[in-house]
């Protein structure tokens, strides 16, 4: 499935970043560009991976069931599109040969108070489903 056909939240965001509609840093723009290019060559002999938008949406939906317990009342978590891209891209790509995740490790550098704890909760989600990931 090409990037032009797919319209999930992760791919829409990647298209907006690459087109310049959403400003971003160079490395993030390159990650978005890689996602779009990989969609066009998925499931080929030279590129034995595929993107599953349903699995990407599962992790995003799970993250948005979490609450922020600061202040007087807990508030539901609403991911920024960049956070949804990071999670969806990490947990949405799989190997064709065994249906295991393409990305087993990732490194994300963020300033204080920018949602670094979020990936830890997604790890718990995956571990409860019999999977593990390093952060």
């Amino acid at each position: 499935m090409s990037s032009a056909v797919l319209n999930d939240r992760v791919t829409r965001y990647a298209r907006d970043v690459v087109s310049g509609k959403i400003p971003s840093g160079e490395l993030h723009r390159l990650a978005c560009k890689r996602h779009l290019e990989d969609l066009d060559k998925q499931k080929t002999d030279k590129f034995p991976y595929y993107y599953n938008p349903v699995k990407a949406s599962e992790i995003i939906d799970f993250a948005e069931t979490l609450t922020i317990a600061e202040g007087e009342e807990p508030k539901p978590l609403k991911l920024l599109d960049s956070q949804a891209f990071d999670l969806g891209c990490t947990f949405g790509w799989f190997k064709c040969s065994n249906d295991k995740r393409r990305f087993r490790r990732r490194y994300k550098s963020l300033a204080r108070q920018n949602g670094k704890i979020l990936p830890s909760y997604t790890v718990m989600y995956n571990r409860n489903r019999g999977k593990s990931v390093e952060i």
Side-chain angles (χ1 to χ4, degrees), residues 6 10 13 17 20 27 37 44 75-76 84 99 106 110 112 114 124 132 135:
L6 203 56
V10 174
Y13 174 78
V17 167
L27 294 177
E37 289 173 351
T44 61
K75 298 174 192 168
D99 291 326
R106 77 177 216 171
L110 294 171
R112 292 183 67 240
N114 278 292
M124 288 187 286
S132 65
I135 293 185

Side-chain angles (χ1 to χ4, degrees), residues 3 12 23 32 45 47 57-60 71 78 100 102:
S3 62
R12 265 193 324 267
C32 291
D45 290 338
F47 192 78
S57 292
E58 273 182 19
I59 197 74
I60 293 167
K78 176 66 176 149
K100 292 191 177 187
R102 174 184 177 189

Side-chain angles (χ1 to χ4, degrees), residues 58-101:
E58 273 182 19
I59 197 74
I60 293 167
D61 292 344
F62 168 75
E64 290 186 333
T65 65
L66 302 173
T67 58
I68 300 170
E70 293 178 357
E72 295 180 21
E73 282 189 38
K75 298 174 192 168
L77 177 66
K78 176 66 176 149
L79 293 178
L80 299 172
D81 287 339
S82 60
Q83 292 171 316
F85 172 80
D86 288 342
L87 289 176
C89 199
T90 301
F91 292 95
W93 280 97
F94 294 88
K95 295 178 186 176
C96 293
S97 61
N98 58 13
D99 291 326
K100 292 191 177 187
R101 284 195 317 271

